Amino acid sequence: MEKGKKLAVLVGCNYPNTPNELHGCHNDVRASLDVLVRRFGFDLANVQLLTDEDGSSVMPTGANIMKALDQMVDKAEPGDILFFQYSGHGTLINSSNSFKKEEAIVPCDFNLITSEDFRHLVNRLPKGTSFIILSDSCHSGGLIDKEKEQIGPSRSSNTEADIPTMQKPKFIPFQSIIQHLSSLTNINTPDIGTHLLEIFGPVASLMFRLPRPNPDLEPDFSTKPVKPDEGILLSGCQTDETSADVQIMENGGKACGAFSNAVQMVLKENSEPLSNKQLVTMARKILKMQGFKQHPCLYCSDYNADAIFLCQAENGST
């Protein structure tokens, strides 16, 4: 049933010895590495692991993460499966070129990777290549720009549940990011693009480097999907929610991301193949039972919603 290569980039950012320190992100991606190899048949040689711990050969900076993702997409051929897992802080940013807030992940050096960057990666995929993104970060819903919502915002409330103790949101406020970047640039402006371009230049997000089209004169073909694509996003929460970094007793008290742990629990309890929709639905139920107020989401084409998680079918979507 399966064919092609399986490639993965796994990124865990704990931000050690900083005010933004988390504790479970390295554990999240190492647990995923084990499952990818044992259950899904990934070759270790085709998996890149980036963590911000002492002794890491490649730190998860914005440039290094994008380099790893670019290399993975460049290698992709029809029938391949690409997987990217990110565990770390997320944020919502105010772009001077947009009236709406945009989703972004926060690498260890604060060189943000935005929803537009992920859209560009998906647009570059050869036909018949699946690209699954699992983001255990705050405000991760919609992280692939313009991807179709399959399991989205929930208005349900867990107010009756006992909220787990010792949890930290995987979120850095926009203003805190501006303050940090301003301390590096010595520029007094709330425009995040100015700071990121000043510090990171050509390796800053495409959101700030590409000229913005005039919507009255020309469409933005660079980021607008014109048909169903092969991007699949499993987000740890809705755009307006935070994801938790916790210690869970069922996990032996080991630090982890609540969503990453829920996914691991679902896979452990279900040896049969699961669709992307089934996996997210089951993870939602686990988080609700555990008392978390985050709602994992799924964004992808109708075809990929029912496709088997991390498995490539014989016939791709049309």
Side-chain angles (χ1 to χ4, degrees):
M1 176 178 175
E2 294 182 57
K3 58 183 180 178
K5 304 184 297 296
K6 293 185 174 183
L7 311 172
V9 174
L10 308 177
V11 175
C13 293
N14 273 351
Y15 317 91
N17 305 313
T18 73
N20 305 302
E21 186 168 12
L22 299 172
H23 300 284
C25 302
H26 299 166
N27 294 335
D28 290 342
V29 292
R30 292 192 185 283
S32 288
L33 175 61
D34 183 58
V35 171
L36 290 179
V37 173
R38 286 191 303 103
R39 175 164 176 168
F40 294 103
F42 280 70
D43 187 327
L44 270 176
N46 289 331
V47 180
Q48 296 185 69
L49 179 69
L50 286 72
T51 60
D52 57 348
E53 56 192 325
D54 289 342
S56 287
S57 58
V58 182
M59 293 294 284
T61 63
N64 285 340
I65 295 171
M66 282 305 304
K67 180 180 179 181
L69 292 173
D70 281 331
Q71 289 175 341
M72 183 168 67
V73 171
D74 287 342
K75 293 177 184 176
E77 298 172 317
D80 289 353
I81 297 171
L82 278 55
F83 180 66
F84 172 55
Q85 178 168 348
Y86 171 77
S87 184
H89 282 301
T91 192
L92 285 175
I93 62 176
N94 299 321
S95 171
S96 61
N97 300 309
S98 174
F99 292 106
K100 74 181 187 76
K101 292 183 181 295
E102 302 287 349
E103 301 85 359
I105 61 173
V106 186
C108 65
D109 64 346
F110 279 55
N111 184 10
L112 304 183
I113 299 175
T114 69
S115 57
E116 189 164 324
D117 296 308
F118 290 112
R119 165 48 57 197
H120 243 262
L121 288 167
V122 170
N123 285 358
R124 288 169 48 199
L125 292 175
K127 185 177 181 180
T129 303
S130 294
F131 189 2
I132 300 98
I133 296 174
L134 191 156
S135 187
D136 192 347
S137 56
C138 292
H139 308 297
S140 47
L143 196 56
I144 303 177
D145 192 33
K146 300 179 179 70
E147 195 64 65
K148 183 175 181 179
E149 177 185 292
Q150 298 289 345
I151 300 177
S154 171
R155 292 181 175 81
S156 64
S157 172
N158 285 343
T159 53
E160 74 282 358
D162 294 327
I163 305 304
T165 57
M166 298 184 67
Q167 66 167 296
K168 181 174 182 177
K170 301 168 92 168
F171 167 60
I172 302 179
F174 177 77
Q175 193 55 42
S176 296
I177 292 177
I178 288 293
Q179 290 174 355
H180 173 75
L181 296 176
S182 296
S183 69
L184 300 177
T185 63
N186 292 317
I187 299 173
N188 184 21
T189 177
D191 177 44
I192 194 166
T194 298
H195 297 293
L196 292 173
L197 289 172
E198 175 70 18
I199 300 169
F200 302 108
V203 294
S205 170
L206 288 171
M207 181 175 289
F208 311 110
R209 289 190 286 118
L210 290 179
R212 313 309 298 181
N214 184 332
D216 296 326
L217 299 177
E218 56 179 318
D220 187 359
F221 290 115
S222 64
T223 61
K224 183 179 180 180
V226 294
K227 58 184 178 180
D229 56 51
E230 299 304 331
I232 304 169
L233 170 66
L234 291 74
S235 67
C237 63
Q238 300 170 184
T239 299
D240 61 348
E241 293 179 333
T242 58
S243 293
D245 182 69
V246 294
Q247 289 179 296
I248 297 178
M249 295 314 297
E250 295 95 325
N251 196 28
K254 195 174 183 180
C256 61
F259 177 53
S260 294
N261 182 69
V263 169
Q264 293 292 331
M265 290 178 64
V266 170
L267 294 175
K268 185 176 181 180
E269 294 168 3
N270 297 272
S271 58
E272 73 278 6
L274 298 172
S275 71
N276 294 306
K277 185 180 292 184
Q278 287 174 319
L279 180 59
V280 173
T281 299
M282 291 178 180
R284 272 193 168 210
K285 290 179 179 178
I286 287 175
L287 290 172
K288 183 175 182 180
M289 287 189 298
Q290 292 175 334
F292 291 97
K293 289 185 175 181
Q294 64 189 81
H295 300 86
C297 299
L298 174 64
Y299 295 81
C300 61
S301 67
D302 294 340
Y303 174 87
N304 281 325
D306 295 318
I308 300 302
F309 177 66
L310 287 181
C311 290
Q312 181 68 57
E314 286 287 349
N315 297 312
S317 59
T318 56

